[in-house]
Amino acid sequence: MEKARDFAYMRAMQTASAPLMPIPGHIDPVPVPRAFKPRADGRIDLLGLSKADLRMALETAQLEPKQAKLRAKQLWHWIYNRGVTDFSLMTDISKSMQPWLEQRFTISRPQVIEAQVSTDGTRKWLLRSDDGQDYEMVFIPDADRGTLCVSSQVGCTLNCRFCHTGTMRLVRNLEPGEIVGQVMLARDALGEWPSQPEGRMLTNIVMMGMGEPLYNFENVRDALKIVMDGDGLALSKRRITLSTSGVVPMMARAGEEIGVNLAVSLHAVTKEVRDEIVPLNRKFGIEELLQACADYPGANNARRITFEYVMLRDKNDSDADARELVRLIKKYKLPAKVNLIPFNPWPGAPYECSTPERIRAFQEIVFGAGISAPARTPRGRDIDAACGQLKTASEKKSRAELDRLAEEKQAALG
Ligand code: SAH
Ligand code: SF4
């Protein structure tokens, strides 16, 4: 009796002091069917489900586990390697099985509301979700690569003063299927099925569209895992970059659980200026942010962290700013590259772009300190597809409304 009590006590103590230790027998080996959210027509969208969930969706529809495993593998290949959305084209799935799948499942694409092409070849798509929310994606072709700029949210809660997206009132996280859906749609438009390792037009992905990806961490992670899966879209993590405005508490997890390249929207080197232009700085300051960069798993000289720096006239573009930027990067020993982004204007924006001479002078100081500092050429400005111009047409507002909104959101940030 005494012994049993001691044992129970020891167990309790062990559990209390080492809560992360797995306790044998506490993990249920039987997979529990999870609730799949059906669409309005009652069917379940397979796009955006993980491999395990795809299999589970088939089991939930009463397919034998062995069958479900096999079918899930086939479906994954058809969906992500071949780009097929029609079950009747899946030739290795029996003719009787195809209608069974058709009745229960669907493989969606975001609805395209508008597709525009810039004079420089940049393309922008306005997309609409099932619940009527609009978001955008942009494809930027270059001589040696093609980059898809993907949105993670409808709008953005963060309200950086120079960013058009930050002025959108409606904000909702995009689901994994809506994030992967952008890549699928781009592949459709570029005629890039089946997935092939060489000669692709779409070679790189940047999470730099609408929204703050680290405020939608799980969906972004799950979507990128699908994009990186070798049996499907098979994009290397080295060709994917996630850009954050500085959500410090999520950066380590991003490195560990996603492992893609990191870009940080720094934009200013003093508390005063960064507090003004990136209000999130009031929560997570510059030094904290740079420490999180120094700790970012996988960052090294071969995989440098990109610091984005939007050039705002007489705001953050002095020689002293450039020197402080160098000092900070050196202080934290960061394997860094600085991307100088000429400010892209939008109606009612409270800033102007720095002059080309100023950008050059700033660039020379950073470059002179041994840090790569390319100035980005704005792309797709004529169709409002350039950095920070993304905002859906339904959201155009007056200057007074924008200011009111900025105050509301900043109050909410605390
Ligand atoms: N929310 C994330 C990712 C999307 S923004 C982030 O802020 O990092 C992509 C990049 O464009 C960011 O570096 C952003 O600061 C920059 N940007 C926003 N508005 C801009 C504008 N008007 N001109 C130039 N760059 C802008
Ligand atoms: Fe949001 Fe990024 Fe725009 Fe800031 S710059 S408002 S974080 S999308």
Side-chain angles (χ1 to χ4, degrees):
M1 189 63 195
E2 189 79 349
K3 254 205 165 118
R5 222 178 30 234
D6 283 356
F7 182 69
Y9 174 75
M10 269 168 62
R11 271 292 289 270
M13 285 307 286
Q14 274 172 2
T15 319
S17 60
L20 295 177
M21 285 249 304
I23 305 163
H26 274 227
I27 294 160
D28 186 354
V30 181
V32 183
R34 48 177 280 178
F36 294 102
K37 208 167 43 192
R39 294 159 24 119
D41 63 6
R43 293 188 294 173
I44 289 162
D45 190 1
L46 297 182
L47 195 79
L49 298 188
S50 67
K51 271 184 167 161
D53 282 347
L54 176 57
R55 189 171 150 189
M56 197 58 71
L58 297 174
E59 283 192 32
T60 309
Q62 305 300 315
L63 217 58
E64 290 290 311
K66 247 185 150 167
Q67 270 278 321
K69 188 176 172 192
L70 170 72
R71 298 299 177 204
K73 199 162 179 248
Q74 291 171 315
L75 282 165
W76 188 271
H77 180 82
W78 283 112
I79 298 172
Y80 296 112
N81 184 280
R82 307 293 290 270
V84 167
T85 54
D86 184 345
F87 294 105
S88 68
L89 298 175
M90 301 181 176
T91 47
D92 58 357
I93 293 178
S94 69
K95 282 261 176 287
S96 57
M97 181 94 197
Q98 289 169 355
W100 184 90
L101 287 167
E102 186 78 48
Q103 272 166 18
R104 292 163 177 78
F105 303 108
T106 179
I107 302 158
S108 76
R109 290 289 188 268
Q111 188 191 349
V112 177
I113 300 300
E114 198 182 354
Q116 287 173 278
V117 184
S118 153
T119 48
D120 68 14
T122 301
R123 304 197 201 183
K124 183 172 88 168
W125 288 264
L126 174 61
L127 309 173
R128 185 162 296 164
S129 65
D130 285 345
D131 60 346
Q133 307 248 30
D134 292 350
Y135 53 104
E136 292 178 330
M137 71 168 190
V138 177
F139 180 69
I140 309 141
D142 272 307
D144 58 339
R145 63 170 71 184
T147 306
L148 187 70
C149 182
V150 171
S151 291
S152 56
Q153 297 181 308
V154 172
C156 185
T157 51
L158 288 179
N159 210 55
C160 300
R161 286 284 284 169
F162 51 85
C163 175
H164 210 192
T165 306
T167 64
M168 284 176 68
R169 187 177 292 271
L170 272 179
V171 182
R172 136 152 126 60
N173 284 338
L174 291 177
E175 297 288 328
E178 293 168 329
I179 298 168
V180 179
Q182 297 171 58
V183 183
M184 305 296 280
L185 204 65
R187 279 276 184 85
D188 292 347
L190 298 168
E192 299 218 294
W193 301 114
S195 268
Q196 51 207 4
E198 300 291 327
R200 293 177 183 172
M201 295 228 285
L202 199 178
T203 57
N204 291 53
I205 289 180
V206 291
M207 296 303 301
M208 295 187 187
M210 289 180 168
E212 168 48 57
L214 295 189
Y215 270 2
N216 186 16
F217 179 77
E218 271 152 29
N219 291 350
V220 167
R221 176 197 60 199
D222 294 351
L224 290 180
K225 284 210 152 38
I226 294 175
V227 171
M228 294 187 282
D229 186 282
D231 298 327
L233 292 161
L235 254 111
S236 152
K237 64 178 183 181
R238 283 162 213 287
R239 291 188 170 272
I240 302 175
T241 301
L242 185 149
S243 175
T244 179
S245 55
V247 185
V248 168
M250 297 310 290
M251 285 168 59
R253 275 188 77 191
E256 280 152 18
E257 297 177 36
I258 316 177
V260 295
N261 303 322
L262 181 69
V264 172
S265 294
L266 191 62
H267 304 316
V269 289
T270 63
K271 175 167 167 52
E272 193 202 347
V273 178
R274 199 163 191 269
D275 275 358
E276 175 191 323
I277 68 178
V278 183
L280 185 65
N281 196 63
R282 298 174 202 166
K283 260 194 181 157
F284 312 115
I286 294 174
E287 305 267 342
E288 221 182 313
L289 174 57
L290 295 178
Q291 186 57 51
C293 291
D295 298 339
Y296 187 73
N300 54 47
N301 272 327
R303 286 187 80 197
R304 287 174 295 176
I305 293 174
T306 303
F307 288 98
E308 292 159 287
Y309 201 97
V310 61
M311 299 301 294
L312 304 174
R313 185 174 185 162
D314 299 332
K315 181 50 69 181
N316 63 356
D317 63 353
S318 70
D319 286 356
D321 288 319
R323 283 194 291 269
E324 178 62 3
L325 178 59
V326 169
R327 189 189 70 81
L328 286 170
I329 289 175
K330 301 235 148 144
K331 175 177 172 194
Y332 287 89
K333 300 189 177 63
L334 294 166
K337 171 183 157 184
V338 175
N339 239 338
L340 301 174
I341 317 175
F343 169 66
N344 291 308
W346 40 270
Y351 302 107
E352 279 176 66
C353 184
S354 310
T355 61
E357 300 75 49
R358 193 85 291 282
I359 296 179
R360 216 165 304 127
F362 193 100
Q363 183 176 28
E364 267 161 29
I365 293 174
V366 181
F367 189 69
I371 300 164
S372 156
R376 230 192 249 170
T377 320
R379 299 289 302 267
R381 269 189 180 175
D382 55 336
I383 55 168
D384 283 349
C387 296
Q389 291 186 313
L390 299 188
K391 173 168 173 160
T392 54
S394 57
E395 280 274 345
K396 300 252 147 82
K397 285 191 190 70
S398 70
R399 182 66 247 170
E401 276 177 293
L402 292 179
D403 281 344
R404 205 169 46 242
L405 180 62
E407 273 163 31
E408 265 173 40
K409 283 198 187 172
Q410 278 172 20
L413 259 176

